[in-house]
PDB file of all heavy atoms in Angstrom:
ATOM      1  N   PRO A   1      -6.613  -1.850  -7.923  1.00 95.00           N
ATOM      2  CA  PRO A   1      -7.455  -0.630  -7.903  1.00 95.00           C
ATOM      3  C   PRO A   1      -7.943  -0.235  -9.235  1.00 95.00           C
ATOM      4  O   PRO A   1      -7.362  -0.468 -10.277  1.00 95.00           O
ATOM      5  CB  PRO A   1      -6.457   0.410  -7.433  1.00 95.00           C
ATOM      6  CG  PRO A   1      -5.105  -0.068  -7.920  1.00 95.00           C
ATOM      7  CD  PRO A   1      -5.209  -1.573  -7.906  1.00 95.00           C
ATOM      8  N   ALA A   2      -9.206   0.320  -9.244  1.00 94.00           N
ATOM      9  CA  ALA A   2      -9.747   0.930 -10.403  1.00 94.00           C
ATOM     10  C   ALA A   2      -8.859   2.128 -10.757  1.00 94.00           C
ATOM     11  O   ALA A   2      -8.148   2.663  -9.865  1.00 94.00           O
ATOM     12  CB  ALA A   2     -11.154   1.386 -10.156  1.00 94.00           C
ATOM     13  N   ALA A   3      -8.862   2.584 -11.970  1.00 91.00           N
ATOM     14  CA  ALA A   3      -8.020   3.699 -12.390  1.00 91.00           C
ATOM     15  C   ALA A   3      -8.174   4.899 -11.424  1.00 91.00           C
ATOM     16  O   ALA A   3      -7.204   5.539 -11.054  1.00 91.00           O
ATOM     17  CB  ALA A   3      -8.291   4.075 -13.804  1.00 91.00           C
ATOM     18  N   SER A   4      -9.398   5.165 -11.034  1.00 92.00           N
ATOM     19  CA  SER A   4      -9.661   6.333 -10.208  1.00 92.00           C
ATOM     20  C   SER A   4      -9.166   6.180  -8.764  1.00 92.00           C
ATOM     21  O   SER A   4      -9.157   7.102  -8.035  1.00 92.00           O
ATOM     22  CB  SER A   4     -11.184   6.609 -10.172  1.00 92.00           C
ATOM     23  OG  SER A   4     -11.921   5.526  -9.640  1.00 92.00           O
ATOM     24  N   HIS A   5      -8.774   4.954  -8.422  1.00 93.00           N
ATOM     25  CA  HIS A   5      -8.310   4.686  -7.054  1.00 93.00           C
ATOM     26  C   HIS A   5      -6.777   4.363  -6.979  1.00 93.00           C
ATOM     27  O   HIS A   5      -6.300   4.031  -5.871  1.00 93.00           O
ATOM     28  CB  HIS A   5      -9.075   3.516  -6.447  1.00 93.00           C
ATOM     29  CG  HIS A   5     -10.537   3.738  -6.388  1.00 93.00           C
ATOM     30  ND1 HIS A   5     -11.411   2.721  -6.605  1.00 93.00           N
ATOM     31  CD2 HIS A   5     -11.274   4.823  -6.142  1.00 93.00           C
ATOM     32  CE1 HIS A   5     -12.667   3.196  -6.453  1.00 93.00           C
ATOM     33  NE2 HIS A   5     -12.591   4.446  -6.201  1.00 93.00           N
ATOM     34  N   GLU A   6      -6.118   4.462  -8.081  1.00 92.00           N
ATOM     35  CA  GLU A   6      -4.667   4.036  -8.037  1.00 92.00           C
ATOM     36  C   GLU A   6      -3.849   4.872  -7.130  1.00 92.00           C
ATOM     37  O   GLU A   6      -3.069   4.334  -6.333  1.00 92.00           O
ATOM     38  CB  GLU A   6      -4.105   4.122  -9.501  1.00 92.00           C
ATOM     39  CG  GLU A   6      -4.579   2.951 -10.295  1.00 92.00           C
ATOM     40  CD  GLU A   6      -3.931   2.899 -11.730  1.00 92.00           C
ATOM     41  OE1 GLU A   6      -2.962   3.678 -11.962  1.00 92.00           O
ATOM     42  OE2 GLU A   6      -4.433   2.157 -12.559  1.00 92.00           O
ATOM     43  N   GLU A   7      -3.937   6.169  -7.184  1.00 92.00           N
ATOM     44  CA  GLU A   7      -3.162   7.052  -6.259  1.00 92.00           C
ATOM     45  C   GLU A   7      -3.478   6.786  -4.792  1.00 92.00           C
ATOM     46  O   GLU A   7      -2.583   6.611  -3.993  1.00 92.00           O
ATOM     47  CB  GLU A   7      -3.336   8.500  -6.629  1.00 92.00           C
ATOM     48  CG  GLU A   7      -2.444   9.427  -5.826  1.00 92.00           C
ATOM     49  CD  GLU A   7      -2.630  10.841  -6.212  1.00 92.00           C
ATOM     50  OE1 GLU A   7      -3.151  11.187  -7.308  1.00 92.00           O
ATOM     51  OE2 GLU A   7      -2.160  11.727  -5.409  1.00 92.00           O
ATOM     52  N   ALA A   8      -4.729   6.706  -4.507  1.00 93.00           N
ATOM     53  CA  ALA A   8      -5.143   6.478  -3.082  1.00 93.00           C
ATOM     54  C   ALA A   8      -4.688   5.110  -2.633  1.00 93.00           C
ATOM     55  O   ALA A   8      -4.227   4.955  -1.492  1.00 93.00           O
ATOM     56  CB  ALA A   8      -6.652   6.610  -2.932  1.00 93.00           C
ATOM     57  N   SER A   9      -4.700   4.137  -3.529  1.00 91.00           N
ATOM     58  CA  SER A   9      -4.225   2.803  -3.118  1.00 91.00           C
ATOM     59  C   SER A   9      -2.770   2.807  -2.839  1.00 91.00           C
ATOM     60  O   SER A   9      -2.310   2.247  -1.801  1.00 91.00           O
ATOM     61  CB  SER A   9      -4.515   1.818  -4.304  1.00 91.00           C
ATOM     62  OG  SER A   9      -3.967   0.554  -4.056  1.00 91.00           O
ATOM     63  N   ARG A  10      -1.981   3.413  -3.652  1.00 89.00           N
ATOM     64  CA  ARG A  10      -0.540   3.566  -3.452  1.00 89.00           C
ATOM     65  C   ARG A  10      -0.244   4.259  -2.111  1.00 89.00           C
ATOM     66  O   ARG A  10       0.554   3.818  -1.297  1.00 89.00           O
ATOM     67  CB  ARG A  10       0.170   4.323  -4.564  1.00 89.00           C
ATOM     68  CG  ARG A  10       0.833   3.423  -5.552  1.00 89.00           C
ATOM     69  CD  ARG A  10       1.711   4.252  -6.532  1.00 89.00           C
ATOM     70  NE  ARG A  10       1.018   5.344  -7.230  1.00 89.00           N
ATOM     71  CZ  ARG A  10       0.209   5.171  -8.250  1.00 89.00           C
ATOM     72  NH1 ARG A  10      -0.048   3.989  -8.769  1.00 89.00           N
ATOM     73  NH2 ARG A  10      -0.395   6.186  -8.877  1.00 89.00           N
ATOM     74  N   GLU A  11      -0.966   5.381  -1.842  1.00 92.00           N
ATOM     75  CA  GLU A  11      -0.780   6.186  -0.645  1.00 92.00           C
ATOM     76  C   GLU A  11      -1.076   5.292   0.594  1.00 92.00           C
ATOM     77  O   GLU A  11      -0.333   5.318   1.624  1.00 92.00           O
ATOM     78  CB  GLU A  11      -1.632   7.396  -0.624  1.00 92.00           C
ATOM     79  CG  GLU A  11      -1.155   8.451  -1.643  1.00 92.00           C
ATOM     80  CD  GLU A  11      -2.115   9.599  -1.752  1.00 92.00           C
ATOM     81  OE1 GLU A  11      -3.223   9.581  -1.098  1.00 92.00           O
ATOM     82  OE2 GLU A  11      -1.837  10.520  -2.534  1.00 92.00           O
ATOM     83  N   ARG A  12      -2.138   4.551   0.545  1.00 90.00           N
ATOM     84  CA  ARG A  12      -2.560   3.745   1.703  1.00 90.00           C
ATOM     85  C   ARG A  12      -1.605   2.548   1.950  1.00 90.00           C
ATOM     86  O   ARG A  12      -1.309   2.220   3.058  1.00 90.00           O
ATOM     87  CB  ARG A  12      -4.023   3.279   1.554  1.00 90.00           C
ATOM     88  CG  ARG A  12      -4.927   4.465   1.852  1.00 90.00           C
ATOM     89  CD  ARG A  12      -6.347   4.166   1.593  1.00 90.00           C
ATOM     90  NE  ARG A  12      -7.202   5.270   1.940  1.00 90.00           N
ATOM     91  CZ  ARG A  12      -7.412   6.382   1.165  1.00 90.00           C
ATOM     92  NH1 ARG A  12      -6.805   6.486   0.019  1.00 90.00           N
ATOM     93  NH2 ARG A  12      -8.225   7.320   1.558  1.00 90.00           N
ATOM     94  N   LEU A  13      -1.103   1.946   0.851  1.00 89.00           N
ATOM     95  CA  LEU A  13      -0.129   0.858   1.009  1.00 89.00           C
ATOM     96  C   LEU A  13       1.173   1.418   1.601  1.00 89.00           C
ATOM     97  O   LEU A  13       1.776   0.778   2.452  1.00 89.00           O
ATOM     98  CB  LEU A  13       0.146   0.212  -0.342  1.00 89.00           C
ATOM     99  CG  LEU A  13      -1.013  -0.729  -0.743  1.00 89.00           C
ATOM    100  CD1 LEU A  13      -0.766  -1.167  -2.257  1.00 89.00           C
ATOM    101  CD2 LEU A  13      -1.058  -1.977   0.123  1.00 89.00           C
ATOM    102  N   ASP A  14       1.590   2.610   1.138  1.00 88.00           N
ATOM    103  CA  ASP A  14       2.781   3.237   1.693  1.00 88.00           C
ATOM    104  C   ASP A  14       2.536   3.565   3.174  1.00 88.00           C
ATOM    105  O   ASP A  14       3.453   3.400   4.012  1.00 88.00           O
ATOM    106  CB  ASP A  14       3.165   4.485   0.939  1.00 88.00           C
ATOM    107  CG  ASP A  14       3.708   4.182  -0.430  1.00 88.00           C
ATOM    108  OD1 ASP A  14       4.061   2.996  -0.719  1.00 88.00           O
ATOM    109  OD2 ASP A  14       3.715   5.103  -1.283  1.00 88.00           O
ATOM    110  N   ALA A  15       1.350   4.076   3.536  1.00 89.00           N
ATOM    111  CA  ALA A  15       1.072   4.367   4.923  1.00 89.00           C
ATOM    112  C   ALA A  15       1.059   3.104   5.795  1.00 89.00           C
ATOM    113  O   ALA A  15       1.546   3.131   6.938  1.00 89.00           O
ATOM    114  CB  ALA A  15      -0.292   5.095   5.016  1.00 89.00           C
ATOM    115  N   LEU A  16       0.513   1.997   5.282  1.00 87.00           N
ATOM    116  CA  LEU A  16       0.527   0.762   6.003  1.00 87.00           C
ATOM    117  C   LEU A  16       1.927   0.317   6.310  1.00 87.00           C
ATOM    118  O   LEU A  16       2.182  -0.200   7.427  1.00 87.00           O
ATOM    119  CB  LEU A  16      -0.188  -0.331   5.194  1.00 87.00           C
ATOM    120  CG  LEU A  16      -0.151  -1.794   5.772  1.00 87.00           C
ATOM    121  CD1 LEU A  16      -0.863  -1.845   7.083  1.00 87.00           C
ATOM    122  CD2 LEU A  16      -0.699  -2.777   4.785  1.00 87.00           C
ATOM    123  N   SER A  17       2.867   0.557   5.342  1.00 85.00           N
ATOM    124  CA  SER A  17       4.230   0.103   5.598  1.00 85.00           C
ATOM    125  C   SER A  17       4.913   0.891   6.745  1.00 85.00           C
ATOM    126  O   SER A  17       5.909   0.448   7.232  1.00 85.00           O
ATOM    127  CB  SER A  17       5.082   0.284   4.303  1.00 85.00           C
ATOM    128  OG  SER A  17       5.247   1.621   4.003  1.00 85.00           O
ATOM    129  N   GLN A  18       4.320   1.970   7.218  1.00 87.00           N
ATOM    130  CA  GLN A  18       4.862   2.780   8.258  1.00 87.00           C
ATOM    131  C   GLN A  18       4.216   2.442   9.613  1.00 87.00           C
ATOM    132  O   GLN A  18       4.523   3.097  10.614  1.00 87.00           O
ATOM    133  CB  GLN A  18       4.691   4.259   7.942  1.00 87.00           C
ATOM    134  CG  GLN A  18       5.322   4.731   6.651  1.00 87.00           C
ATOM    135  CD  GLN A  18       6.793   4.368   6.597  1.00 87.00           C
ATOM    136  OE1 GLN A  18       7.496   4.648   7.488  1.00 87.00           O
ATOM    137  NE2 GLN A  18       7.232   3.822   5.492  1.00 87.00           N
ATOM    138  N   THR A  19       3.372   1.510   9.679  1.00 87.00           N
ATOM    139  CA  THR A  19       2.646   1.144  10.952  1.00 87.00           C
ATOM    140  C   THR A  19       3.227  -0.116  11.580  1.00 87.00           C
ATOM    141  O   THR A  19       3.931  -0.841  10.939  1.00 87.00           O
ATOM    142  CB  THR A  19       1.084   0.937  10.681  1.00 87.00           C
ATOM    143  OG1 THR A  19       0.989  -0.281   9.907  1.00 87.00           O
ATOM    144  CG2 THR A  19       0.482   2.069   9.911  1.00 87.00           C
ATOM    145  N   ALA A  20       2.829  -0.303  12.852  1.00 84.00           N
ATOM    146  CA  ALA A  20       3.242  -1.499  13.522  1.00 84.00           C
ATOM    147  C   ALA A  20       2.670  -2.789  12.874  1.00 84.00           C
ATOM    148  O   ALA A  20       3.285  -3.885  12.923  1.00 84.00           O
ATOM    149  CB  ALA A  20       2.800  -1.463  14.983  1.00 84.00           C
ATOM    150  N   SER A  21       1.564  -2.696  12.184  1.00 82.00           N
ATOM    151  CA  SER A  21       0.965  -3.821  11.494  1.00 82.00           C
ATOM    152  C   SER A  21       1.767  -4.261  10.309  1.00 82.00           C
ATOM    153  O   SER A  21       1.579  -5.389   9.789  1.00 82.00           O
ATOM    154  CB  SER A  21      -0.454  -3.471  11.026  1.00 82.00           C
ATOM    155  OG  SER A  21      -1.271  -3.167  12.121  1.00 82.00           O
ATOM    156  N   ALA A  22       2.656  -3.396   9.826  1.00 82.00           N
ATOM    157  CA  ALA A  22       3.415  -3.784   8.622  1.00 82.00           C
ATOM    158  C   ALA A  22       4.204  -5.054   8.779  1.00 82.00           C
ATOM    159  O   ALA A  22       4.469  -5.746   7.827  1.00 82.00           O
ATOM    160  CB  ALA A  22       4.317  -2.609   8.262  1.00 82.00           C
ATOM    161  N   THR A  23       4.645  -5.372  10.032  1.00 81.00           N
ATOM    162  CA  THR A  23       5.454  -6.570  10.229  1.00 81.00           C
ATOM    163  C   THR A  23       4.657  -7.852   9.950  1.00 81.00           C
ATOM    164  O   THR A  23       5.304  -8.891   9.846  1.00 81.00           O
ATOM    165  CB  THR A  23       6.032  -6.583  11.630  1.00 81.00           C
ATOM    166  OG1 THR A  23       4.968  -6.543  12.565  1.00 81.00           O
ATOM    167  CG2 THR A  23       6.952  -5.415  11.871  1.00 81.00           C
ATOM    168  N   ALA A  24       3.378  -7.781   9.930  1.00 80.00           N
ATOM    169  CA  ALA A  24       2.547  -8.985   9.682  1.00 80.00           C
ATOM    170  C   ALA A  24       2.441  -9.318   8.197  1.00 80.00           C
ATOM    171  O   ALA A  24       2.047 -10.404   7.864  1.00 80.00           O
ATOM    172  CB  ALA A  24       1.112  -8.761  10.275  1.00 80.00           C
ATOM    173  N   PHE A  25       2.877  -8.389   7.411  1.00 81.00           N
ATOM    174  CA  PHE A  25       2.737  -8.586   5.923  1.00 81.00           C
ATOM    175  C   PHE A  25       4.028  -8.515   5.226  1.00 81.00           C
ATOM    176  O   PHE A  25       4.918  -7.738   5.577  1.00 81.00           O
ATOM    177  CB  PHE A  25       1.822  -7.483   5.319  1.00 81.00           C
ATOM    178  CG  PHE A  25       0.404  -7.526   5.722  1.00 81.00           C
ATOM    179  CD1 PHE A  25      -0.054  -6.792   6.795  1.00 81.00           C
ATOM    180  CD2 PHE A  25      -0.512  -8.352   5.083  1.00 81.00           C
ATOM    181  CE1 PHE A  25      -1.377  -6.800   7.222  1.00 81.00           C
ATOM    182  CE2 PHE A  25      -1.836  -8.395   5.498  1.00 81.00           C
ATOM    183  CZ  PHE A  25      -2.267  -7.590   6.573  1.00 81.00           C
ATOM    184  N   ASP A  26       4.211  -9.259   4.127  1.00 81.00           N
ATOM    185  CA  ASP A  26       5.286  -9.128   3.200  1.00 81.00           C
ATOM    186  C   ASP A  26       4.682  -8.455   1.967  1.00 81.00           C
ATOM    187  O   ASP A  26       3.757  -9.018   1.395  1.00 81.00           O
ATOM    188  CB  ASP A  26       5.876 -10.487   2.788  1.00 81.00           C
ATOM    189  CG  ASP A  26       6.562 -11.214   3.887  1.00 81.00           C
ATOM    190  OD1 ASP A  26       7.042 -10.556   4.823  1.00 81.00           O
ATOM    191  OD2 ASP A  26       6.605 -12.447   3.775  1.00 81.00           O
ATOM    192  N   ARG A  27       5.158  -7.282   1.674  1.00 80.00           N
ATOM    193  CA  ARG A  27       4.708  -6.594   0.404  1.00 80.00           C
ATOM    194  C   ARG A  27       5.607  -6.968  -0.703  1.00 80.00           C
ATOM    195  O   ARG A  27       6.817  -6.641  -0.611  1.00 80.00           O
ATOM    196  CB  ARG A  27       4.652  -5.113   0.640  1.00 80.00           C
ATOM    197  CG  ARG A  27       4.070  -4.393  -0.585  1.00 80.00           C
ATOM    198  CD  ARG A  27       3.881  -2.953  -0.327  1.00 80.00           C
ATOM    199  NE  ARG A  27       3.474  -2.265  -1.577  1.00 80.00           N
ATOM    200  CZ  ARG A  27       3.376  -0.948  -1.631  1.00 80.00           C
ATOM    201  NH1 ARG A  27       3.689  -0.177  -0.636  1.00 80.00           N
ATOM    202  NH2 ARG A  27       3.013  -0.434  -2.774  1.00 80.00           N
ATOM    203  N   THR A  28       5.104  -7.678  -1.648  1.00 70.00           N
ATOM    204  CA  THR A  28       5.923  -8.170  -2.735  1.00 70.00           C
ATOM    205  C   THR A  28       6.212  -7.081  -3.731  1.00 70.00           C
ATOM    206  O   THR A  28       5.274  -6.650  -4.425  1.00 70.00           O
ATOM    207  CB  THR A  28       5.211  -9.364  -3.425  1.00 70.00           C
ATOM    208  OG1 THR A  28       4.917 -10.329  -2.458  1.00 70.00           O
ATOM    209  CG2 THR A  28       6.172  -9.971  -4.446  1.00 70.00           C
ATOM    210  N   PRO A  29       7.439  -6.575  -3.763  1.00 57.00           N
ATOM    211  CA  PRO A  29       7.741  -5.535  -4.783  1.00 57.00           C
ATOM    212  C   PRO A  29       7.870  -6.165  -6.159  1.00 57.00           C
ATOM    213  O   PRO A  29       8.234  -7.309  -6.274  1.00 57.00           O
ATOM    214  CB  PRO A  29       9.071  -4.984  -4.295  1.00 57.00           C
ATOM    215  CG  PRO A  29       9.681  -6.091  -3.529  1.00 57.00           C
ATOM    216  CD  PRO A  29       8.581  -6.880  -2.946  1.00 57.00           C
ATOM    217  N   ASP A  30       7.458  -5.437  -7.157  1.00 49.00           N
ATOM    218  CA  ASP A  30       7.543  -5.971  -8.511  1.00 49.00           C
ATOM    219  C   ASP A  30       7.357  -4.842  -9.435  1.00 49.00           C
ATOM    220  O   ASP A  30       6.266  -4.174  -9.431  1.00 49.00           O
ATOM    221  CB  ASP A  30       6.420  -6.993  -8.741  1.00 49.00           C
ATOM    222  CG  ASP A  30       6.659  -7.800 -10.034  1.00 49.00           C
ATOM    223  OD1 ASP A  30       7.291  -7.249 -10.955  1.00 49.00           O
ATOM    224  OD2 ASP A  30       6.151  -8.879 -10.086  1.00 49.00           O
TER     225      ASP A  30
END
């Protein structure tokens, strides 16, 4: 994300992890 999009990016990734689609992805923590 661009600096101006960092917060929105984090929020959307967190929201994705709460959906049924989340099982299709491995989110690599680091």
Side-chain angles (χ1 to χ4, degrees):
S4 61
H5 300 143
E6 285 184 12
E7 184 177 342
S9 175
R10 259 191 307 281
E11 289 172 359
R12 285 175 177 80
L13 285 169
D14 290 343
L16 174 64
S17 71
Q18 303 302 314
T19 68
S21 298
T23 60
F25 293 94
D26 292 334
R27 182 172 175 190
T28 307
D30 192 334

